[in-house]
């Protein structure tokens, strides 16, 4: 890769600093669009590298998107979902922990990565890595003259490109393809850096540095073996073909894919689900087609028996969707339907789970009782608690709800709204946090969440 920093002609014309503040580095508040795959995202990363308009606000660490940033981005583009641990990147890229953290921050500040769930440590479960979403900044679409349209799944979807940006797009595609290509494995080397050899290498027609000639110990083969060759020569290694699954293997593979993708099937056993879906698996159905049939009907809030619920949803499906064309039409509807999109975001285990911390539970109970006490009419008995909430306790409760919201959990706020009403919830947590939590819970796509903030 060249050492000089190349530039793009569109960058000189735009000259707009590429920097996203911390508040807009979340999926719910980003202004960029979601990349459909890692290759498309790497084109945007290459553009940011060539554009060279990113400038950090800090005075230490890397100051631009360089070759190390591209190395980190290539590893992120190969992860789906993009949940890289810092220790994993340190081990794979042979970089220091601080360097990896710097360049992850650069990708976030450039609008190329957004948080979907920030990493944290859970008591009894260990640490969890942050989960990112590949995003393409709006400056990329403007610089390359891309035409986008509104899309529920990707916030904005690419519709076309003007002639002025085609040459630059070809250049970025070639650069991204070259970076994504895996390097060849180098031959093992010894401690001195030279390739190990079991016998001295013979170099005919040229002199060698060895004092003894290797040709002196070489014997010519007999004339009887010149035609047929050596009988005891090692046979060439045969490439092992991929194992082909039988009917039972395809059933278990489809069952495993469904358990990984459908939330209310996570606790189900693979053999039992394989027995339920044996008919559709034998007919060649894919996991996406089965999920489309499941979401054809209205979702249920709670599923008590996942295998029985799945069998009920698949009853008669093999007869109604007996051709690949019908199943493909159903999958297309499921992808584009807002009702199906909302069904994929339903929390099947209930609207809210109680917090694990006893201190937070006590604060919630005190807050609800304090509000109930302040609004109770005269002559009506009210549940009393140990003491009313102080300002410090109320601040702790608000911070706890805010941290839970950033992690994608709105249950603390929405349960208070359901129990005491929105007015009282806004008195406890604030109008802004309550509004954002309700929009996140009822949104049918990431576009609505981002547009409302």
């Amino acid at each position: 890769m060249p050492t000089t920093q190349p530039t793009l002609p569109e960058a000189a014309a735009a000259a707009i600093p590429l920097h996203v503040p911390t508040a807009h580095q979340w999926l719910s508040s980003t202004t960029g669009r979601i990349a459909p795959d890692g290759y498309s995202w790497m084109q945007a990363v290459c553009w940011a590298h060539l554009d060279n308009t990113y400038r950090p606000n800090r005075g230490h660490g890397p100051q631009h998107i360089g070759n190390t940033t591209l190395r980190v981005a290539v590893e992120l583009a190969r992860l789906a979902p993009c949940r890289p641990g810092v220790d994993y990147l340190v081990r794979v890229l042979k970089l220091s922990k601080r360097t990896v953290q710097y360049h992850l921050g650069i990708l976030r500040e450039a609008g190329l990565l957004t948080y979907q769930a920030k990493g944290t440590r859970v008591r009894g479960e260990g640490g969890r890595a942050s989960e990112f979403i590949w995003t393409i900044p709006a400056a990329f679409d403007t610089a390359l003259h891309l035409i986008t349209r509104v899309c529920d799944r990707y916030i904005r979807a690419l519709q076309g490109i003007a002639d002025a940006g085609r040459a630059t797009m070809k250049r970025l595609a070639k650069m991204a393809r070259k970076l994504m290509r895996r390097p060849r494995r180098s031959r093992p080397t010894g401690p001195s850096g030279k390739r190990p050899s079991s016998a001295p290498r013979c170099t005919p027609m040229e002199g060698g540095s060895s004092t003894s000639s290797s040709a002196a110990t070489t014997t010519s083969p007999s004339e009887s073996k010149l035609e047929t060759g050596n009988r005891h020569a090692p046979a060439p290694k045969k490439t092992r073909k991929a194992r082909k699954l039988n009917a039972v293997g395809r059933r278990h593979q489809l069952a495993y894919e469904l358990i990984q993708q459908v939330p209310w099937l996570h606790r189900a056993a693979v053999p039992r689900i394989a027995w339920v879906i044996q008919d559709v698996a034998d007919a060649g159905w894919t996991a996406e087609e089965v999920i489309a049939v499941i979401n054809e009907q209205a979702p249920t809030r709670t599923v008590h028996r996942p295998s029985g619920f799945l069998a009920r949803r698949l009853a008669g499906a093999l007869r109604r969707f007996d051709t690949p064309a019908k199943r493909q039409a159903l999958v297309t509807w499921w992808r584009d339907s807002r009702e199906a999109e909302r069904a994929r975001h339903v929390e099947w285990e209930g609207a809210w789970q109680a917090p694990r911390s006893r201190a937070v539970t006590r604060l919630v109970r005190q807050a609800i009782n304090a509000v109930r006490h302040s609004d109770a009419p005269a002559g009506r008995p009210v549940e009393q608690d140990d003491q009313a909430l102080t300002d410090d306790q109320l601040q702790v409760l608000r911070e706890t709800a805010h941290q839970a919201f950033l992690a994608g959990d709105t249950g603390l706020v929405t349960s208070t709204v359901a129990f005491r009403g929105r007015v009282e919830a806004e008195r406890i947590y604030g109008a802004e946090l309550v509004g954002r939590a309700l929009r996140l819970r009822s949104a049918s796509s990431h576009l609505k969440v981002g547009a409302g903030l």
Side-chain angles (χ1 to χ4, degrees), residues 330-449:
L330 179 64
V331 172
T332 303
W333 166 84
W334 170 62
R335 290 175 177 173
D336 299 336
S337 174
R338 292 189 176 183
E339 289 75 11
E341 182 71 19
R342 186 181 299 110
R344 290 195 294 270
H345 292 278
V346 169
E347 298 194 15
W348 294 85
E349 296 299 331
W352 176 69
Q353 295 180 355
R356 298 181 179 181
S357 175
R358 295 182 178 179
V360 176
T361 305
R362 189 184 72 255
L363 291 177
V364 173
R365 186 174 64 253
Q366 292 177 359
I368 295 175
N369 290 334
V371 173
R372 186 183 302 174
H373 176 71
S374 61
D375 292 346
R380 181 179 175 182
V382 182
E383 297 181 7
Q384 299 291 339
D385 204 350
D386 299 336
Q387 56 181 354
L389 281 176
T390 62
D391 294 339
D392 295 338
Q393 292 175 337
L394 189 60
Q395 183 65 24
V396 171
L397 186 59
R398 289 180 177 178
E399 292 179 357
T400 304
H402 182 68
Q403 293 295 330
F405 170 77
L406 294 181
D409 183 12
T410 61
L412 194 60
V413 178
T414 54
S415 61
T416 307
V417 173
F419 188 74
R420 292 297 302 167
R422 179 166 182 172
V423 177
E424 306 305 332
E426 290 179 352
R427 291 178 56 184
I428 300 175
Y429 303 108
E432 180 181 1
L433 181 58
V434 172
R436 295 174 67 181
L438 293 177
R439 284 195 297 270
L440 182 60
R441 183 191 64 175
S442 61
S444 62
S445 65
H446 299 298
L447 172 64
K448 290 189 175 182
V449 177

Side-chain angles (χ1 to χ4, degrees), residues 283-362:
W285 285 40
T286 63
E288 199 171 31
E289 294 171 351
V290 176
I291 295 175
V293 173
I294 294 174
N295 292 326
E296 186 183 11
Q297 304 177 23
T300 304
R301 299 292 295 178
T302 304
V303 177
H304 299 286
R305 286 186 69 239
S307 59
F309 184 79
L310 178 61
R312 183 63 180 269
R313 286 294 173 98
L314 294 179
L318 195 61
R319 182 179 65 258
R320 291 186 295 119
F321 304 99
D322 53 348
T323 62
K326 294 181 181 179
R327 297 196 293 268
Q328 183 61 33
L330 179 64
V331 172
T332 303
W333 166 84
W334 170 62
R335 290 175 177 173
D336 299 336
S337 174
R338 292 189 176 183
E339 289 75 11
E341 182 71 19
R342 186 181 299 110
R344 290 195 294 270
H345 292 278
V346 169
E347 298 194 15
W348 294 85
E349 296 299 331
W352 176 69
Q353 295 180 355
R356 298 181 179 181
S357 175
R358 295 182 178 179
V360 176
T361 305
R362 189 184 72 255

Side-chain angles (χ1 to χ4, degrees), residues 96-110:
S96 65
K97 183 177 181 180
R98 188 57 177 165
T99 300
V100 171
Q101 293 173 345
Y102 268 132
H103 291 281
L104 287 177
I106 288 176
L107 293 174
R108 293 197 310 268
E109 292 173 357

